[in-house]
Amino acid sequence: MNHILIEKYKQFHTIIESMLTAVRQNEWQIFFALQTQYLTLSEYLSTYDITEILTEDRSQLRITLMESINDILNSQQQLSLLLKAQHTQLGKLIGETVDQQVKINYYHQIATLT
């Protein structure tokens, strides 16, 4: 069972890496499609109590699990930063669009006065 658990963690990391790549390449359909797999595996992994594995002193399984968790956390942090940057950029674009629309409306009001 523990080998299956390690494989699931590795699979989870692969999904996060794929999501990261999708965001970097602005492939939003791929990103959103991967979210279902992400949520499913996240739910699956959250049902396991890994305390016993983590308390084993220097077991290879513990080391592998810790490496997998570390890789997942690093990838999730990168993904979070990229998504925040994309969100900020989108907010700026929306703000610019709203600003342009306000200016167009003002120009239209001025044009109708003459």
Side-chain angles (χ1 to χ4, degrees):
M1 180 55 118
N2 289 336
H3 296 306
I4 293 172
L5 185 61
I6 294 296
E7 286 305 312
K8 293 293 183 185
Y9 270 96
K10 288 180 179 180
Q11 186 180 4
F12 191 61
H13 180 246
T14 300
I15 290 170
I16 295 169
E17 283 292 317
S18 297
M19 291 172 77
L20 191 56
T21 300
V23 170
R24 285 182 179 140
Q25 297 175 353
N26 288 322
E27 296 285 345
W28 297 105
Q29 288 180 338
I30 294 171
F31 172 78
F32 291 122
L34 289 167
Q35 279 189 319
T36 302
Q37 293 175 6
Y38 173 91
L39 292 172
T40 301
L41 263 177
S42 178
E43 194 174 303
Y44 176 85
L45 292 171
S46 69
T47 63
Y48 284 94
D49 182 10
I50 60 172
T51 308
E52 184 179 318
I53 297 170
L54 295 177
T55 57
E56 293 178 18
D57 191 35
R58 294 284 182 206
S59 76
Q60 185 58 42
L61 184 61
R62 178 182 180 270
I63 292 168
T64 303
L65 182 61
M66 292 300 293
E67 288 172 349
S68 293
I69 291 171
N70 190 45
D71 290 343
I72 289 167
L73 291 174
N74 287 335
S75 296
Q76 282 184 319
Q77 183 179 22
Q78 290 176 43
L79 183 60
S80 178
L81 290 172
L82 275 174
L83 288 173
K84 284 178 185 177
Q86 289 289 333
H87 186 263
T88 300
Q89 184 179 16
L90 181 59
K92 287 179 183 177
L93 290 172
I94 291 170
E96 289 173 7
T97 301
V98 169
D99 188 45
Q100 289 173 355
Q101 188 61 46
V102 168
K103 288 178 183 176
I104 289 169
N105 289 342
Y106 286 145
Y107 291 140
H108 180 65
Q109 287 176 354
I110 290 170
T112 58
L113 292 176
T114 57

